[in-house]
Amino acid sequence: GSRSAQQGAAGGDGSAGGAVAHTPSTEDFSLSLLDTNLPAEAETELRSFIAKRLTKGALFEGMGNVASVELSIPEGKVGCYYCRFQQESLLEMATLESDINAPEYVVCFLGGSEKEDTFRLELDKYIQNLKINLDLEQKNLETCVSPYLRSWFEDAICPIQRVVQLFQDKLASLLHAALSYTPVEVKNADERTEKDISRFLAAASLQGLVQEGTMTSLCIAMTEEQHKSMVIDCSGPQPQLHNAGSNRFCEDWMQAFVNGTEGGNPFLFRQILENFKLKAIQDINNLKRFIRQAEMNHYALFKCYLFLKNCGSGDILLKIVKVEHAEMPEAKNVVTVLEEFMRE
């Protein structure tokens, strides 16, 4: 296991840690420390906490968990993300020969609160990369594994915050591109900034929250409208945007992000992003309900129109429902009428 720290803007100590475990389904296993930046007493407490979880069989390979843990450190109670995994190459061998008893690892990341839960998917991905690159036989703990673990907070938790601070009031256009699946091209940016923007767009999109077919059709439709690709030029101190779109909905939410920069808490930004997506999904569901009613009722059609006008995101919502209702004649007619009204 290994543990490392990066003082983060969240006020948490951003520690990282882990331990080797054998046959975790029974009590017959040992935990040995590979790397940590915790004081000895706190490390022992954490090891005890992880051992209890392993004994209960509560850790599944490659799937992270988040819990609150009390340790003898100034913060006292901290959020702990922990994940059990095997080296990728050994995992494949173990699958082929079930009697291989390969070592397993548990990595723990400590932050200021249980809010790591909002970043669980990012941290799971982070561990996935570690699995692929981990080769303790090659003695790469000092050169590769430890530095990788030390940067977990900066790499997995802070990208959203960095993008908010970089874009400021231009963030509305980035939110608009994410919601509408507009292709985004980044120019003259360093590797970290490019990755940050890509992660922000992925985190702000409705991927997984609306039907898979809808996403595919939307992506195809937006890619075909090549003139609508948004270009972000990062050659200056402030990014310059070309072919950028926006709407009132995204501008209102951009304000929430900009107001949050004073506190400088990456967990807060993630929560705002989740609320932004939740509101977008609620608006889509409301519009769909109104469209179903409008198939039989002219007054409901007018309600649809008023809703689209007032929600601040009518341009994107219409695109989404148009794709979803393409195969339904009555609904398609309603959407066509709404498009004409909105154009006028």
Side-chain angles (χ1 to χ4, degrees), residues 218-237:
L218 262 178
C219 289
I220 292 167
M222 293 311 292
T223 308
E224 282 170 356
E225 296 177 35
Q226 270 310 318
H227 61 285
K228 290 207 171 174
S229 285
M230 183 169 92
V231 178
I232 302 171
D233 186 350
C234 296
S235 50

Side-chain angles (χ1 to χ4, degrees), residues 31-47:
L31 285 175
S32 53
L33 178 70
L34 283 186
D35 189 19
T36 184
N37 73 335
L38 271 184
E41 189 183 350
E43 189 275 315
T44 307
E45 292 164 349
L46 181 69
R47 207 188 302 200

Side-chain angles (χ1 to χ4, degrees), residues 251-268:
E251 276 155 22
D252 289 346
W253 280 96
M254 173 271 294
Q255 208 54 56
F257 280 103
V258 172
N259 293 343
T261 50
E262 292 163 22
N265 184 336
F267 298 105
L268 171 67

Side-chain angles (χ1 to χ4, degrees), residues 156-168:
I157 308 293
C158 293
I160 292 170
Q161 181 182 30
R162 286 197 293 267
V163 168
V164 172
Q165 288 166 342
L166 178 66
F167 279 78
Q168 296 289 323

